[in-house]
Amino acid sequence: MSQFGRKKKSSRLSGPKPIEEESPLKKDALKPTKDELPPAELKSLPAEIQAAAKRAKWSKLMDVQARSLPYILKKQDLMVQSKTGSGKTGAFILPLIKRLDPNKAECQALILVPTRELAQQVHLEAKMLFGDSGLQSMPIYGGVGYGAQLKGLEKGVQLVVGTPGRILDHMQRGTLKLDKLRILVLDEADRMLSMGFYPDMERIKGELPGGKHINTYLFSATFPPRVMGLADSFLNKPETLSLSKDNVHVTEINHRYAVVRGLDKDRVLLRLIEVENPDQALIFCNTKAQVEYLAETLKNFGHKAEGITSDLSQANRERLIHQMKAGQLRLLVATDVASRGIDIPALSHVFLYEVPEDHEDYIHRAGRTGRAGATGTAITLTGIIEQLTLKRLARRYKIEMPKIDIPTESEVENIVSERLEVMLEARLHGLDPLTKERVVRFTDLARRYGETEDGQKLLAMVLDSFYIDAQSPELAEALDPTPKKPESTQRGGRSDSTRQRRTSSSHRSGGGDRKKQDRSGSKSGNKKDSDQRHRPRRSEGTGAKSGKPKVSEKK
């Protein structure tokens, strides 16, 4: 693992590297350490922390605080699985009181959060806990003017709490300097990645001071593959704590359910997909007809989705599974029979569109996620009557399965709008000066569009197109401004500089014929690739039937 803070090029900024790649944070990273530190007791902590707890009227530490504080005070990197409302904010604010120097008006700690509301919430709690200690906190987030933020940063604060996009803005402006940074906290890491913040987070990391290790603490309700990749990138040999009920290890699957009327299921599923924003998901149905209907509905809504049933030829079935594993397909709708043998390590979510008739089928469905040392989420849509069956199933297998509220259209709109704002800002941050100059041409047009109802509809259409395109793995990579690492370099081949030297040498030695051949071969190869990309896709139902015996499947 590289020294934290050292600048290095990434082959892609659309997301952290998958957990299945060789990494120090594979499966063993989620196992509790054998030398786990004992929980802290409030009375045994430094006087400054006891005074802060008294200001908050805490008579004792919450579980996440008691177990996290010993590691943070010991300056040990830490990953904590803890849900919202568990007291985790106090877990990383309290030790700052001891570790930050109030006599130095410089940013010594940075807390990155996914939303402006959470930034304000964490700031207010820090302000209350800091009290008269002399430590100052400053919230930094988008959607508001720069005036108050610039004034606060110029005055000097020890703690900055903010969203990655606005933090990066200030760093690039030179108004936020992190050369004295000691501590970095990634709060609600799964939500930050869901919002699309990874490119900005990677750029922030690239701007951090090199030559020293910055203690980093990651808090997340779940540890899907992308969060594990984030941890691998930012943390150095972290300890791992799980605050899941009745578990001493990281809970592999987060089970939840929603009660939905039958006619509303498709719309509710679309809302949940928008809110959860899974990297990839399997969606289970009980019948082939439901699979075909749902796959078509998802595609019509703009998702990269396909359906897989026993009617599909073996060749087309393998093609879809390959696309899922390669990250080219985001959503796969399937029946239990058709899904047998599917193993996708990077799967973050499983949606059960219907409660399975056999209890064991639930375990098989939900168990498709939470693999390769990561955690996953399983969400079941159930009717009022089926809810009783689901509760019996949860009791039988001792599964904690809370009921969740169905997100409203307004809530989905707010989440999607904020996520789109993050994507656009990340895109803007990555533009080179010449491209930024080119973009300015459309400023007046955008302003005029914003002043009329028809113009606003046109802007909304463009924004929707950008958002849908950004969900596509291929187009997300195309939108990534970071130079891509050559394929041969990734596989251990010669580097760019080596090939460049060889090319220059051939030019000097009169290698014109070889150059012409290379160019010809390149054109031929590109034409072949292009033909394959643009060849019309054969309907999945028209492939040759597999010779294997079929297991009966409901129509």
Side-chain angles (χ1 to χ4, degrees), residues 492-541:
R494 290 183 175 88
S495 64
D496 284 344
S497 58
T498 303
R499 284 195 301 274
Q500 197 170 10
R501 285 197 300 271
R502 289 192 60 188
T503 304
S504 300
S505 175
S506 67
H507 290 171
R508 287 194 298 270
S509 60
D513 291 340
R514 184 163 59 248
K515 178 181 175 184
K516 191 179 297 183
Q517 290 172 2
D518 289 344
R519 187 182 299 145
S520 173
S522 175
K523 286 181 180 179
S524 173
N526 289 341
K527 184 177 186 304
K528 181 180 178 181
D529 291 343
S530 177
D531 288 345
Q532 288 177 346
R533 274 197 305 270
H534 298 291
R535 187 178 297 158
R537 186 170 61 187
R538 186 172 60 178
S539 173
E540 293 153 11

Side-chain angles (χ1 to χ4, degrees), residues 238-249:
E239 302 292 349
T240 304
L241 291 178
S242 171
L243 280 301
S244 300
K245 186 177 179 181
D246 299 327
N247 282 284
V248 294
H249 58 84

Side-chain angles (χ1 to χ4, degrees), residues 62 119 172-173 219 253 295 323 328 355 444 491 501 521 546:
M62 298 182 75
Q172 292 178 340
R173 288 166 175 253
F219 290 77
I253 302 174
Q323 288 180 354
Q328 299 166 351
V355 177
D444 288 339
R491 295 180 180 179
R501 285 197 300 271
S546 169

Side-chain angles (χ1 to χ4, degrees), residues 408-436:
T408 64
E409 290 285 0
S410 176
E411 289 170 340
V412 173
E413 182 180 329
N414 291 336
I415 289 171
V416 170
S417 297
E418 194 165 353
R419 187 179 295 138
L420 176 59
E421 186 179 338
V422 170
M423 292 175 177
L424 290 169
E425 287 180 351
R427 176 64 172 153
L428 181 63
H429 293 152
L431 296 180
D432 59 75
L434 191 60
T435 305
K436 287 182 179 179

Side-chain angles (χ1 to χ4, degrees), residues 128-179:
M128 180 266 295
L129 290 172
F130 285 170
D132 57 1
S133 66
L135 295 172
Q136 299 294 322
S137 171
M138 182 75 196
I140 301 289
Y141 48 81
V144 296
Y146 284 84
Q149 296 176 5
L150 292 172
K151 186 177 180 180
L153 291 173
E154 185 178 355
K155 183 179 178 182
V157 293
Q158 291 79 22
L159 171 64
V160 171
V161 184
T163 54
R166 182 56 68 94
I167 291 290
L168 186 61
D169 273 345
H170 281 286
M171 292 175 69
Q172 292 178 340
R173 288 166 175 253
T175 51
L176 173 60
K177 301 184 185 303
L178 300 178
D179 54 313

